[in-house]
Amino acid sequence: MFQGVLNMARDELAMEPFPPIYLIVPSIIFLAALPIRLWQLWGTNTKVVPSNQDQSKVATSFIYLIFQLVSLILLPMQVSRPSATCQVSGVVSFVAALGLCLVSYIEHRRSIRPSTLITVYLTASLIGHVIELTVPGSGIEASFSFARYSIPSLAKCLIELVFLLNECHEKRTILKAEYHGLSPEETAGALSKTLFWWINPILAEGIRSMFSSKDIPITDKSLSSKYLRREILLKWNQRGRPENASTLPLVLLRCLLRPFLSAILPRLFLVTFRYSQALLISKTIRFINSGHTIEELRSMGYWLVVAAVLIYVGMAISSAAYQHQLNILKVMTRGALVGLIYHRSLEVSSCGYEDGNAVTLMSSDVDNLSTAGEMFHETWAQVLEVLIGLALLANQLGWIWPLPLFFIFLCSKVSQYVAKNLKKGQRNCSQATQNRLATTASMLGSNKSMKMLGITNHMKHRIQDLRQVEIQMAIKLRWVMVAYNASANALGIFTPVITLIIYTIALKHSKYGKLTTDMVFTSIAILGMITHPANMVMTIVPRAVASMANFERVQGYLLLSSVEDHRILLNTTDPEPGALERETGKTAILLQDLTIQYSAGSPTILMNTNLRVKQGSIVMCSGPVGVGKSSLVKAVLGEVAPWAGSVSVFTKGIGYCAQIPWLPSGTIKQVICGNEGEPARDMQRYSSVITTCELSADLDRLPDKDNTQVGSRGFNLSGGQRQRVALARVLYARYDLVVLDDSFSALDGKTEARIIENLVGPNGLFRRQGKTVFMVTHAAQHFPLADHILILVNPRTQIQGSWEEVSHMTMDVTKIMGADSHNEGISQITLTSQVKVTSEAIDITRETEDFSLYSYYFQSVGYSNLALLLCCTICYAFFLTFSQYWLKLWTEDASFEPGFYMAGYFIITLIAWIATNGTMWSTFIRMAPKSGIELHNRLLNTMIRAPLSYYSENEIGVMLNRFGQDLQLVDVQLPGNLSVLVNQIFKLSVQTSLLFVVQNKMVIVLPFCILVVYIVQKIYLQTSRQLRFIEIESRSAVYSSFLETVDGSATIRALGLQKDLENHNLGQLESSQRPFYLLLCLQRWLNLVLDLVIAGIAVGVIALAVVLHGTSTGGQIGVALNLIIVASTTLLRLVESWTSLEISLGAISRIKSVVNDTPNEDRAGENFLPDTVWPSAGRVELRNVTVSYNPNAIALKDVSFSIDESQKVVICGRTGSGKSTLLLTLLCMLDLQSGSIVIDNINISKIPRSILRQRCFITVPQDPFIFSNSNLRFNLDPTQSFSNETLVEVLKKTRLWQHFLHLLDENSFGNPNEQFDLPERIHGILEQPLSLFPPLSTGQLQLLSIARAILRVHPPTASYRDEYPSLLPNITRPILLLDEATSSLDPDTEEAIQDIIQEEFTDKGHTVIIVAHRMSALEKHMRKGRDAIIWMSAGGVEKMEVVRGEREERFRGG
């Protein structure tokens, strides 16, 4: 291309006073494209309103047309004998001007953006006229030339420039109203898009003020999350079957084919311009060493400068265009994959356990796959560059050209080894990260229960161990990458050295003479252009292999079995909720010979169950724990496929309330009313629902009423409040079929009785509306209200019929009925509106630099490691750059002693290679693991010690993002960015110094360059920091939404909320995509500006060499231009790494903010360590205790009572009356405003809280929890202190062993019915992850919690006794706290558990405090004259009385 420019220029100069070819070609292309564009605009509507731009464009185009006409008429006067080419040029230009006027008028009215066709034509024509104006004359007198040629050319340039500027003016302000919602990029013209001018207003806004998510403009429609989800779902459903490893990549390719192909053309241009640099170096050095005449030198010099401008500006623009296309592909890939994963999460079968797998897929896996398109394009382009480079090298060095291939072959072997091991290593790392995040998510979601249990330290050690495993996996992977980088650096550093040395030796023994400056520096440039792309290819291959592991993980999740709805619809149409009226005799639910079994080897849950439920009837279902009630509910919901038989329903829209209610984040009103806007809400219905669910008193006592945030997983509400809000949601939606799965277990007897009466009583809401209700309950006192009763005895036995028919089998289950209470206490946790993470302090750090972050990070990596990094990078930068100067000395040495220079050259590069390997080692093997562990531990310790209020004020997704994306930045990006930044700083310093040594006249531009770079990065950073912060924040919202969906998938499907939640997630994803895309565009703007700065320097070097011909040597120019080639990359990477480091330091800022600003629940003065025998009696005394969650919400007021040693106390009261708050106060999870709590004569406010919860109390919380990714042993015994025999004994006592025993595989363990107590089989069961067992019901989860408590009074192993002597149960007598611990158990199981509690705790002298609503199982275990009942109401103790034996008196409170 370069040689063609020079040849064409010489030919044109010989023929005409100016080269008309530059004018003819743009006009011909314009005229060819004109009909196509007019056809596209034909029939489209007008898109702008009348404005001054109309007249301005018409006037400009008319002036342009007149000038072209005058130029055509005056052409014979300018040139006495104009050639045919000159005449054709004039005619074609005039015809093009006519077309220009026409298309300008039409395009202005019917297009939303400036005309691309006009912009391109005018730009090309303007460039041609500028060349026409500035090209040196060919013997024509200067005055004659200027008068006749220059003035018309100058006039043309000015008119075309005005026309171009007028045409490029955007139309956003004059577009019609229906087009105001378009993105800035959509309305930008071709020139604005190419040079990223459209982003300038955003940069200005970022400088003037603080950004918020609302200020970020929307993206192009092709990038919309809704469009991408629709396209990817269409292509996924059309995928080939059976699936293989290439299925998902091909689906993604078909979905994104157009943006994928759009990157090819700019990449080809980039290759062309990049390899023109070597020819430019060769021609420039030859020009410097040439002996042409002055005229020839002027002509050649001019075209050298033109070629330099064309090459470097073209390279900058093509690079920006190419990278922008890759960014679009990256954003679309992310949007499509996240949309697909989320859509599948609504369909995938729910196992009932928390699972961090899908969240990990949406974060790290999708982020890795978003660069898949870039890897593909870079691979083919870099291979092409290697082939072109080899061809150029063969032309330059002849027979020695295959030598680089030999080195590439050697390094490819290393790359093959890396690729072979990287996929497995990447998979192991991803799995380790997933395990840690899943456990961390469980910890964050169950923090209150863990604090109550006193196992936070054990949980912390568990997560730290998982982090250590993750880091060790990463180190193994990093060693492979360090070895690979050593190989890749050897290729780039030693290939030019060895090639040049061998060529010099061959040259010395041949007749061709010595090395020339032209040959050396051109060859070095070409060799760099061979080794760099070869290195890139070998770097991409392992990454591509590793990305296949990400594809496999995502595809594996997508191919998980979906919930297959095998229910038969009794009606031919699925009516809308509320559309059916009660019709006696019609069937609502029909079970025929229903058998439920999860797999062939698992136990049968239900067998041959038959049930017919009439429309409008009330059916109650009961039975012992684990008998299959919840499985039956899931079958009715369509969540479980029948193993045999069938399930038929009259509607698939079911109002479902789960045992553990699922509540999305939002206000109470939003949760109940759904996504209806305020005007659409039926407030009369809403008020009726609130009254029916007995929520009025609760809402009146909340500071924000029904605008109170429920928090993540309903964290801000008590258990009873959560259940009633979930019920209110179902009532508001008016489903015709309602399924309640033990939905009143957390309510007190009075509240439950009133709600039941409001719903299913003779005048209840369900009765009046004719709803069909299937209700699972253990409350037999409500059976008389049912039309039909189903009692599950065992898988094969069911009792059913009316109340009269089954009354003789009804179990005696009653509820405690406390004294009447008109006011309820506030909920168990602070009920203020949730605090978002955007605090004023963080907002300030978004906009301004915070150098303390560097110090904070440097402390985590270690100053010794930092010093090692600096030493290595300094050595590398100096010796690598100095090698260029060494070549100059070599080529300019007249004595030509190659041995000395060859040895020196090799030693210099060897030192550089060793230094760069030291940089990699210090960064990824020493710094990254140290900072990763240190910052993780700081963050984990902070979260563990945070008070309960912190978890109510922050979304779990936001907190999890600190452990997820922020730590990923700390592990992966921060160390690399720091290393690259330091490296580039020193390299650029040395390169700049050497550049100005060999071209000292360029020193005058140094201050200007420094000023430009400083201003550019300042502008960039001020906006990019804010965008990055908003992007992180919005991504956290996506994660939170996804966690909520995974938790409540069964409820979502039953309620038919999939569409609403998917649209909500799409909105959050869109909010996340916008700052992400804009940040990528900002990076392209930055790269373009810096590339243009480098282009200016390169053109300046060549221009100086041309103007000051004879003052520079060929060696100096060769060094300068080679330095510019590498300095352009260095400067670009310097600013990129600096900005990336600044952006990545946002993770450090957030971690530091969390660590420094998160309150610590421990208080000063809590340093008293009681004797190892404390507590020995269990005597509890509360003295005027007052507790509040915030100044406006008093939870307990002046509570005073005493509990004697070994006494059992039952705490009763309405839901929200303060019962659970009282337990939280005993556990010091709430701070006292006044009063004191004394246990065994010690004020517990002086004792460290972790010690208090571990030694003083054994707690069974209201909300059972598990760690599904951990094994059964850890879930049962987090302290890892009990033997297998003890664990099995406790599981048998709590009736859970048989459930876990069914996991045994007969092929591996033998017959599960024989010798199941073999030690190896027991160990195998205990070591299995809990997720592999059949799902546990809520009742079974409560049994597991009770099993944990029972273990605390068993003697641990000898090793644990030696390590923790103060925690021995045979020395201390901790107090047992039960917070509704048996609310989901059937009466028989509950009574058995109370027997165990009596045996294991009460009979052994432990004080027992029980929060309970159900008294039947407790009655026979309450010792007359010894045990007591405390009645609570509105946060106070109403009365406390000792049990006297009169049951009726206890019920009525005396």
Side-chain angles (χ1 to χ4, degrees):
M1 183 193 77
F2 177 77
Q3 187 64 46
V5 170
L6 294 181
N7 293 338
M8 183 174 62
R10 283 197 297 267
D11 294 340
E12 293 295 334
L13 285 172
M15 291 173 57
E16 301 288 346
F18 55 87
I21 190 68
Y22 299 123
L23 309 178
I24 297 175
V25 172
S27 299
I28 292 175
I29 295 176
F30 171 78
L31 291 173
L34 181 62
I36 300 174
R37 183 56 183 161
L38 291 175
W39 180 78
Q40 290 174 342
L41 294 172
W42 188 261
T44 59
N45 59 335
T46 302
K47 297 179 173 61
V48 297
V49 297
S51 68
N52 292 333
Q53 283 191 37
D54 297 353
Q55 292 81 8
S56 175
K57 287 190 176 182
V58 169
T60 306
S61 59
F62 181 74
I63 293 172
Y64 181 75
L65 177 63
I66 295 300
F67 186 86
Q68 289 291 357
L69 179 61
V70 171
S71 298
L72 181 61
I73 295 173
L74 298 179
L75 181 61
M77 298 175 60
Q78 289 181 302
V79 182
S80 58
R81 289 182 300 170
S83 65
T85 305
C86 195
Q87 294 175 3
V88 169
S89 173
V91 172
V92 170
S93 296
F94 175 72
V95 175
L98 284 172
L100 201 64
C101 294
L102 176 63
V103 75
S104 176
Y105 177 77
I106 298 175
E107 185 104 38
H108 174 74
R109 296 173 58 83
R110 301 188 179 187
S111 175
I112 60 173
R113 64 180 64 88
S115 172
T116 300
L117 180 61
I118 296 175
T119 302
V120 172
Y121 170 69
L122 288 176
T123 302
S125 181
L126 182 61
I127 292 173
H129 286 127
V130 169
I131 294 176
E132 175 188 7
L133 182 65
T134 58
V135 67
S138 56
I140 303 175
E141 294 297 326
S143 59
F144 175 80
S145 175
F146 182 81
R148 186 163 296 186
Y149 303 112
S150 299
I151 292 179
S153 295
L154 180 60
K156 288 179 184 178
C157 290
L158 291 176
I159 293 175
E160 286 179 340
L161 180 61
V162 172
F163 199 167
L164 179 62
L165 293 176
N166 202 15
E167 187 61 41
C168 288
H169 195 276
E170 292 186 5
K171 310 177 189 177
R172 292 187 65 85
T173 57
I174 61 172
L175 288 174
K176 290 185 176 180
E178 57 264 35
Y179 302 105
H180 285 175
L182 297 173
S183 69
E185 192 176 8
E186 284 181 292
T187 59
L191 210 56
S192 180
K193 284 184 178 181
T194 302
L195 300 177
F196 291 89
W197 285 347
W198 63 270
I199 213 168
N200 291 339
I202 299 170
L203 288 167
E205 183 66 26
I207 296 172
R208 285 195 302 266
S209 61
M210 294 295 298
F211 263 134
S212 69
S213 57
K214 296 178 181 179
D215 298 324
I216 299 177
I218 63 173
T219 55
D220 192 287
K221 292 180 181 178
S222 63
L223 300 178
S224 80
S225 301
K226 186 174 183 180
Y227 167 78
L228 292 171
R229 184 202 62 180
R230 183 176 66 248
E231 289 299 309
I232 193 72
L233 285 177
L234 178 64
K235 297 302 186 292
W236 176 254
N237 293 331
Q238 295 173 350
R239 69 188 183 276
R241 292 176 174 85
E243 293 84 358
N244 52 44
S246 62
T247 297
L248 182 58
L250 290 176
V251 167
L252 196 61
L253 176 62
R254 287 196 294 269
C255 176
L256 307 177
L257 184 60
R258 183 173 179 179
F260 181 82
L261 297 177
S262 298
I264 295 176
L265 186 60
R267 190 63 176 91
L268 290 173
F269 275 106
L270 182 58
V271 172
T272 303
F273 288 123
R274 184 172 289 170
Y275 279 85
S276 297
Q277 293 178 94
L279 296 178
L280 179 63
I281 292 173
S282 176
K283 294 293 182 183
T284 304
I285 294 175
R286 290 181 184 178
F287 171 79
I288 296 298
N289 295 331
S290 66
H292 296 286
T293 65
I294 295 178
E295 287 298 326
E296 290 175 335
L297 289 176
R298 286 181 59 199
S299 176
M300 291 182 62
Y302 174 82
W303 289 107
L304 277 175
V305 174
V306 170
V309 172
L310 176 64
I311 290 170
Y312 285 104
V313 174
M315 191 161 58
I317 292 176
S318 59
S319 176
Y322 168 65
Q323 291 294 334
H324 185 57
Q325 290 300 323
L326 291 183
N327 288 340
I328 291 174
L329 187 59
K330 184 176 184 178
V331 172
M332 296 180 75
T333 301
R334 179 174 179 256
L337 288 177
V338 170
L340 180 59
I341 293 171
Y342 185 85
H343 180 82
R344 285 292 296 148
S345 72
L346 294 169
E347 300 175 342
V348 170
S349 178
S350 172
C351 65
Y353 295 119
E354 295 176 313
D355 189 6
N357 179 42
V359 178
T360 308
L361 295 178
M362 292 184 71
S363 54
S364 59
D365 287 293
V366 169
D367 286 343
N368 291 337
L369 292 178
S370 62
T371 60
E374 178 184 0
M375 287 189 288
F376 177 85
H377 284 298
E378 283 300 295
T379 300
W380 69 258
Q382 303 287 5
V383 169
L384 178 61
E385 289 186 6
V386 170
L387 296 176
I388 295 174
L390 289 172
L392 294 176
L393 188 65
N395 181 63
Q396 191 73 20
L397 298 182
W399 62 269
I400 207 171
W401 71 266
L403 188 59
L405 288 178
F406 174 72
F407 295 110
I408 292 173
F409 172 76
L410 292 180
C411 292
S412 68
K413 292 299 180 182
V414 179
S415 182
Q416 288 177 7
Y417 171 79
V418 171
K420 181 180 178 181
N421 292 274
L422 195 60
K423 185 176 181 181
K424 180 180 178 182
Q426 184 68 46
R427 186 186 297 115
N428 292 338
C429 280
S430 297
Q431 187 63 46
T433 302
Q434 175 186 315
N435 292 339
R436 177 182 61 83
L437 284 178
T439 306
T440 303
S442 299
M443 181 271 292
L444 295 173
S446 307
N447 189 269
K448 186 190 80 169
S449 297
M450 286 192 303
K451 286 180 181 292
M452 296 176 73
L453 289 171
I455 62 171
T456 51
N457 284 334
H458 300 292
M459 198 65 215
K460 180 180 73 174
H461 295 319
R462 173 73 173 176
I463 295 176
Q464 285 175 340
D465 291 342
L466 291 174
R467 178 64 172 168
Q468 287 285 356
V469 172
E470 180 186 10
I471 291 293
Q472 291 304 315
M473 292 292 181
I475 288 176
K476 291 180 181 178
L477 192 62
R478 288 168 185 161
W479 268 120
V480 175
M481 296 310 298
V482 168
Y484 169 73
N485 274 277
S487 169
N489 288 324
L491 175 63
I493 292 175
F494 291 124
T495 299
V497 178
I498 297 175
T499 302
L500 199 58
I501 289 174
I502 293 177
Y503 185 74
T504 302
I505 295 172
L507 198 62
K508 186 177 180 180
H509 294 85
S510 68
K511 59 182 179 180
Y512 297 106
K514 58 177 287 186
L515 290 174
T516 64
T517 305
D518 169 32
M519 183 197 64
V520 168
F521 287 102
T522 304
S523 300
I524 291 296
I526 294 173
L527 285 167
M529 294 176 184
I530 293 174
T531 57
H532 176 71
N535 263 333
M536 293 303 298
V537 170
M538 288 184 284
T539 302
I540 290 170
V541 169
R543 285 177 53 206
V545 172
S547 70
M548 290 307 297
N550 300 119
F551 271 120
E552 287 178 8
R553 283 167 48 79
V554 174
Q555 183 171 309
Y557 180 78
L558 297 176
L559 293 178
L560 288 176
S561 59
S562 301
V563 174
E564 298 183 11
D565 192 351
H566 293 273
R567 295 175 297 174
I568 301 170
L569 195 61
L570 293 172
N571 292 356
T572 56
T573 60
D574 194 357
E576 295 293 325
L580 294 178
E581 299 296 335
R582 182 174 182 178
E583 299 182 43
T584 305
K586 286 192 175 182
T587 302
I589 302 174
L590 181 63
L591 309 181
Q592 294 178 303
D593 298 324
L594 175 64
T595 297
I596 298 177
Q597 188 174 349
Y598 287 101
S599 63
S602 63
T604 301
I605 308 298
L606 290 175
M607 180 175 288
N608 297 328
T609 300
N610 291 278
L611 175 68
R612 181 175 181 265
V613 178
K614 296 179 180 179
Q615 291 184 22
S617 63
I618 310 297
V619 177
M620 295 187 183
C621 175
S622 188
V625 171
V627 77
K629 303 183 297 296
S630 294
S631 296
L632 178 59
V633 166
K634 289 181 179 179
V636 173
L637 297 176
E639 292 292 314
V640 174
W643 191 260
S646 65
V647 177
S648 303
V649 292
F650 81 121
T651 176
K652 292 187 177 181
I654 299 177
Y656 172 55
C657 291
Q659 284 180 297
I660 301 177
W662 171 77
L663 302 177
S665 297
T667 65
I668 293 175
K669 181 183 289 187
Q670 288 171 341
V671 171
I672 293 174
C673 299
N675 291 327
E676 293 181 356
E678 194 71 37
R681 289 173 182 157
D682 188 336
M683 297 311 297
Q684 183 177 356
R685 190 200 319 174
Y686 174 73
S687 300
S688 173
V689 165
I690 294 296
T691 302
T692 302
C693 295
E694 298 289 324
L695 280 169
S696 300
D698 296 77
L699 297 182
D700 289 340
R701 294 182 61 85
L702 300 180
D704 296 322
K705 309 303 180 186
D706 57 3
N707 288 320
T708 298
Q709 294 282 340
V710 301
S712 294
R713 303 178 181 179
F715 197 90
N716 287 345
L717 305 180
S718 68
Q721 288 168 335
R722 290 198 294 269
Q723 288 187 333
R724 283 179 288 155
V725 169
L727 178 63
R729 174 178 59 197
V730 169
L731 298 183
Y732 183 84
R734 290 186 174 179
Y735 291 92
D736 291 301
L737 175 58
V738 177
V739 175
L740 307 177
D741 189 3
D742 203 9
S743 298
F744 308 105
S745 58
L747 302 181
D748 63 277
K750 270 196 169 185
T751 304
E752 178 184 355
R754 284 200 292 269
I755 293 177
I756 291 291
E757 184 68 23
N758 292 341
L759 294 176
V760 299
N763 296 314
L765 182 65
F766 288 150
R767 296 284 187 188
R768 296 197 309 271
Q769 295 180 350
K771 306 299 182 183
T772 306
V773 180
F774 185 85
M775 181 167 58
V776 174
T777 180
H778 295 301
Q781 68 269 28
H782 303 312
F783 284 178
L785 298 174
D787 299 316
H788 192 84
I789 298 169
L790 171 65
I791 299 176
L792 303 177
V793 181
N794 56 54
R796 292 177 173 80
T797 306
Q798 299 95 33
I799 300 172
Q800 57 179 304
S802 65
W803 166 244
E804 290 76 14
E805 294 170 342
V806 301
S807 57
H808 65 284
M809 298 295 296
T810 303
M811 292 164 281
D812 186 19
V813 180
T814 58
K815 293 270 184 156
I816 298 174
M817 304 293 288
D820 190 22
S821 173
H822 299 289
N823 296 305
E824 295 190 29
I826 65 166
S827 65
Q828 66 184 53
I829 200 64
T830 178
L831 290 163
T832 57
S833 298
Q834 282 185 267
V835 179
K836 301 298 180 184
V837 292
T838 51
S839 66
E840 184 178 349
I842 296 179
D843 280 345
I844 294 173
T845 62
R846 282 167 48 185
E847 188 177 19
T848 60
E849 296 179 4
D850 185 1
F851 291 103
S852 65
L853 297 178
Y854 290 90
S855 174
Y856 191 81
Y857 180 61
F858 292 159
Q859 289 175 3
S860 69
V861 302
Y863 287 106
S864 60
N865 291 330
L866 188 63
L868 179 62
L869 172 67
L870 292 175
C871 291
C872 292
T873 50
I874 290 173
C875 291
Y876 170 67
F878 175 78
F879 286 103
L880 184 67
T881 308
F882 184 72
S883 63
Q884 294 283 332
Y885 193 74
W886 187 262
L887 286 176
K888 172 185 174 293
L889 298 176
W890 185 355
T891 56
E892 293 180 349
D893 189 351
S895 61
F896 186 58
E897 293 293 336
F900 170 73
Y901 287 106
M902 286 190 293
Y905 193 25
F906 182 80
I907 292 172
I908 289 170
T909 52
L910 178 62
I911 296 173
W913 180 72
I914 294 173
T916 189
N917 292 333
T919 299
M920 291 292 298
W921 171 72
S922 60
T923 300
F924 294 106
I925 305 301
R926 292 179 61 88
M927 289 173 55
K930 190 176 189 311
S931 63
I933 292 175
E934 176 68 22
L935 293 174
H936 175 267
N937 288 345
R938 291 181 192 178
L939 188 61
L940 182 61
N941 287 330
T942 301
M943 291 295 187
I944 289 289
R945 295 196 303 263
L948 207 58
S949 59
Y950 179 81
Y951 289 86
S952 72
E953 296 169 353
N954 293 274
E955 293 280 354
I956 290 179
V958 175
M959 291 185 281
L960 186 62
N961 211 18
R962 302 291 83 81
F963 289 93
Q965 186 176 7
D966 284 346
L967 281 180
Q968 187 179 19
L969 288 172
V970 169
D971 288 345
V972 180
Q973 293 191 23
L974 258 177
N977 288 334
L978 178 63
S979 174
V980 172
L981 174 65
V982 174
N983 206 339
Q984 304 311 315
I985 288 175
F986 290 121
K987 280 176 65 177
L988 188 63
S989 301
V990 178
Q991 289 166 358
T992 305
S993 301
L994 187 55
L995 176 62
F996 292 126
V997 165
V998 297
Q999 282 289 323
N1000 50 25
K1001 296 179 182 61
M1002 289 293 295
V1003 173
I1004 59 175
V1005 303
L1006 179 60
F1008 172 76
C1009 292
I1010 293 174
L1011 181 63
V1012 168
V1013 172
Y1014 176 78
I1015 293 174
V1016 166
Q1017 67 84 25
K1018 193 75 175 177
I1019 293 172
Y1020 171 79
L1021 281 179
Q1022 206 154 0
T1023 305
S1024 66
R1025 280 199 196 99
Q1026 299 184 62
L1027 286 175
R1028 182 61 174 170
F1029 181 88
I1030 295 172
E1031 193 268 332
I1032 291 287
E1033 188 181 49
S1034 58
R1035 187 175 292 202
S1036 298
V1038 177
Y1039 294 164
S1040 296
S1041 169
F1042 195 78
L1043 283 170
E1044 286 179 354
T1045 301
V1046 172
D1047 285 342
S1049 57
T1051 302
I1052 292 167
R1053 286 190 286 266
L1055 299 178
L1057 299 177
Q1058 297 98 314
K1059 192 69 176 178
D1060 290 340
L1061 284 173
E1062 195 161 9
N1063 289 335
H1064 177 66
N1065 178 263
L1066 283 175
Q1068 291 180 323
L1069 178 60
E1070 188 70 24
S1071 298
S1072 172
Q1073 290 280 75
R1074 283 188 291 167
F1076 178 60
Y1077 175 69
L1078 195 56
L1079 189 60
L1080 294 176
C1081 292
L1082 271 179
Q1083 292 172 354
R1084 297 284 68 78
W1085 174 88
L1086 174 68
N1087 291 356
L1088 178 61
V1089 172
L1090 295 179
D1091 280 342
L1092 291 175
V1093 170
I1094 293 296
I1097 294 175
V1099 173
V1101 169
I1102 294 176
L1104 280 176
V1106 170
V1107 174
L1108 304 176
H1109 183 267
T1111 61
S1112 300
T1113 66
Q1116 290 174 329
I1117 296 299
V1119 170
L1121 292 179
N1122 271 287
L1123 284 175
I1124 286 172
I1125 291 176
V1126 294
S1128 61
T1129 304
T1130 302
L1131 178 60
L1132 193 60
R1133 295 197 66 191
L1134 169 61
V1135 180
E1136 279 183 345
S1137 59
W1138 186 3
T1139 53
S1140 296
L1141 181 66
E1142 283 283 322
I1143 293 170
S1144 300
L1145 278 173
I1148 299 297
S1149 174
R1150 290 183 290 273
I1151 292 174
K1152 181 186 176 185
S1153 176
V1154 169
V1155 172
N1156 293 343
D1157 300 339
T1158 300
N1160 191 336
E1161 68 171 354
D1162 296 326
R1163 296 289 183 266
E1166 295 179 354
N1167 52 14
F1168 177 74
L1169 296 179
D1171 296 336
T1172 57
V1173 296
W1174 182 88
S1176 57
R1179 189 181 299 106
V1180 181
E1181 184 179 358
L1182 276 73
R1183 302 170 182 172
N1184 301 317
V1185 170
T1186 297
V1187 175
S1188 67
Y1189 297 107
N1190 60 64
N1192 299 321
I1194 300 296
L1196 298 177
K1197 186 174 183 181
D1198 295 330
V1199 173
S1200 298
F1201 60 82
S1202 297
I1203 300 176
D1204 294 333
E1205 59 181 281
S1206 306
Q1207 189 177 22
K1208 180 184 293 183
V1209 175
V1210 178
I1211 302 175
C1212 307
R1214 289 190 61 191
T1215 175
S1217 60
K1219 305 181 299 296
S1220 295
T1221 302
L1222 179 60
L1223 296 192
L1224 295 177
T1225 305
L1226 288 173
L1227 292 163
C1228 287
M1229 294 176 68
L1230 298 174
D1231 293 325
L1232 303 184
Q1233 276 195 339
S1234 62
S1236 62
I1237 301 175
V1238 177
I1239 297 178
D1240 284 359
N1241 301 319
I1242 295 179
N1243 190 331
I1244 64 173
S1245 64
K1246 301 178 180 178
I1247 302 173
R1249 303 186 185 206
S1250 59
I1251 299 296
L1252 176 73
R1253 295 162 192 163
Q1254 282 183 338
R1255 287 179 51 184
C1256 188
F1257 296 104
I1258 299 174
T1259 308
V1260 180
Q1262 181 179 17
D1263 301 318
F1265 70 97
I1266 55 173
F1267 303 106
S1268 60
N1269 281 19
S1270 298
N1271 56 28
L1272 175 58
R1273 182 190 303 278
F1274 182 81
N1275 276 276
L1276 190 60
D1277 173 27
T1279 64
Q1280 305 288 289
S1281 58
F1282 295 98
S1283 64
N1284 292 349
E1285 293 75 15
T1286 304
L1287 298 180
V1288 173
E1289 178 188 349
V1290 171
L1291 287 173
K1292 289 179 179 178
K1293 277 188 177 182
T1294 52
R1295 306 183 180 184
L1296 287 173
W1297 179 240
Q1298 196 66 26
H1299 174 87
F1300 297 117
L1301 188 64
H1302 283 292
L1303 180 71
L1304 295 176
D1305 183 356
E1306 294 185 10
N1307 296 327
S1308 302
F1309 297 98
N1311 189 338
N1313 296 318
E1314 298 178 4
Q1315 299 180 346
F1316 56 83
D1317 284 332
L1318 291 175
E1320 61 273 15
R1321 299 182 67 211
I1322 293 174
H1323 180 80
I1325 294 175
L1326 295 175
E1327 294 301 321
Q1328 290 293 331
L1330 201 60
S1331 57
L1332 295 183
F1333 293 98
L1336 292 167
S1337 67
T1338 304
Q1340 288 171 320
L1341 290 174
Q1342 288 188 331
L1343 292 177
L1344 188 66
S1345 298
I1346 293 170
R1348 292 191 192 110
I1350 296 172
L1351 278 173
R1352 290 279 301 276
V1353 296
H1354 278 249
T1357 59
S1359 60
Y1360 189 84
R1361 288 198 300 269
D1362 295 338
E1363 188 173 358
Y1364 302 101
S1366 63
L1367 302 181
L1368 299 185
N1370 57 339
I1371 297 178
T1372 62
R1373 288 194 179 91
I1375 299 165
L1376 178 65
L1377 304 179
L1378 300 174
D1379 186 9
E1380 285 291 344
T1382 59
S1383 60
S1384 295
L1385 302 181
D1386 63 277
D1388 179 58
T1389 304
E1390 182 181 12
E1391 187 168 343
I1393 294 301
Q1394 293 297 340
D1395 290 338
I1396 296 172
I1397 292 172
Q1398 182 73 24
E1399 175 189 347
E1400 296 285 350
F1401 294 95
T1402 307
D1403 293 347
K1404 293 180 180 179
H1406 292 267
T1407 300
V1408 179
I1409 302 175
I1410 303 174
V1411 171
H1413 291 145
R1414 202 156 57 205
M1415 192 63 183
S1416 58
L1418 291 170
E1419 284 185 89
K1420 72 175 186 179
H1421 298 104
M1422 300 293 286
R1423 297 167 294 184
K1424 298 177 184 178
R1426 174 68 173 160
D1427 298 334
I1429 300 175
I1430 295 177
W1431 302 97
M1432 295 196 68
S1433 175
V1437 175
E1438 190 172 284
K1439 61 181 175 178
M1440 177 178 180
E1441 60 179 18
V1442 178
V1443 174
R1444 302 298 179 187
E1446 297 84 2
R1447 173 179 173 178
E1448 195 67 26
E1449 184 180 58
R1450 290 201 307 277
F1451 267 103
R1452 295 174 183 172

